[in-house]
Amino acid sequence: MKEDCIFCKIINGDFNTEFIIENEHAVVFNDINPKAPVHMLVVPKIHVESLNELDDKNLLGELMMTVKEAAKKAGLNSYKTLINTGKDAGQEVFHMHIHIMGDKK
Ligand code: 5GP
Ligand code: ZN
């Protein structure tokens, strides 16, 4: 855990954030400022700044499996995934995460 990291604090339970999924590797929760009717974030439990610092192939696979599980749980057949990497790409929270955005139709 990194003391000044908002997502580490969420994972630690500091804000009582509701987890849509929690497993060994990741948590999934709703984005506080949704850009789609369903907007969730898949966040690894370990603190890693961005995709560039994440070299664990197993964890990368587990995160993508968690994406699919979360989409299914939210009732999404169609959805977009997004990983902002670096501030010039729009990354605001420097704890790697995968956005899932979709609409229940
Ligand atoms: P980024 O721009 O880093 O890819 O995305 C960060 C996302 O985290 C943004 O969509 C923002 O709305 C979301 N976010 C930032 N702070 C919080 C928070 O405290 N709680 C939740 N649930 N989402 C947050
Ligand atoms: Zn963190």
Side-chain angles (χ1 to χ4, degrees):
M1 175 168 173
K2 192 162 178 278
E3 293 299 326
D4 60 348
C5 171
I6 190 89
F7 283 0
C8 282
K9 287 180 182 168
I10 287 174
I11 291 161
N12 199 42
D14 290 9
F15 306 118
N16 286 321
T17 307
E18 187 185 333
F19 296 146
I20 297 155
I21 290 176
E22 177 173 12
N23 60 35
E24 185 188 344
H25 304 282
V27 296
V28 182
F29 51 85
N30 286 315
D31 196 294
I32 204 167
N33 181 20
K35 282 117 195 152
V38 176
H39 186 171
M40 302 177 284
L41 302 172
V42 177
V43 184
K45 283 184 169 174
I46 59 155
H47 179 86
V48 54
E49 279 208 5
S50 81
L51 183 62
N52 282 341
E53 284 78 35
L54 182 46
D55 296 320
D56 181 337
K57 287 180 184 170
N58 181 61
L59 179 55
L60 282 164
E62 293 288 348
L63 293 173
M64 293 313 291
M65 294 304 291
T66 305
V67 165
K68 293 199 292 179
E69 191 187 337
K72 192 171 179 186
K73 200 164 180 183
L76 301 175
N77 294 318
S78 301
Y79 55 93
K80 296 180 199 300
T81 53
L82 173 70
I83 305 173
N84 291 321
T85 304
K87 68 173 169 33
D88 291 341
Q91 186 175 1
E92 289 175 355
V93 176
F94 286 86
H95 180 133
M96 186 270 181
H97 52 279
I98 306 171
H99 296 256
I100 304 174
M101 286 167 285
D103 194 355
K104 285 182 202 175
K105 273 186 188 152

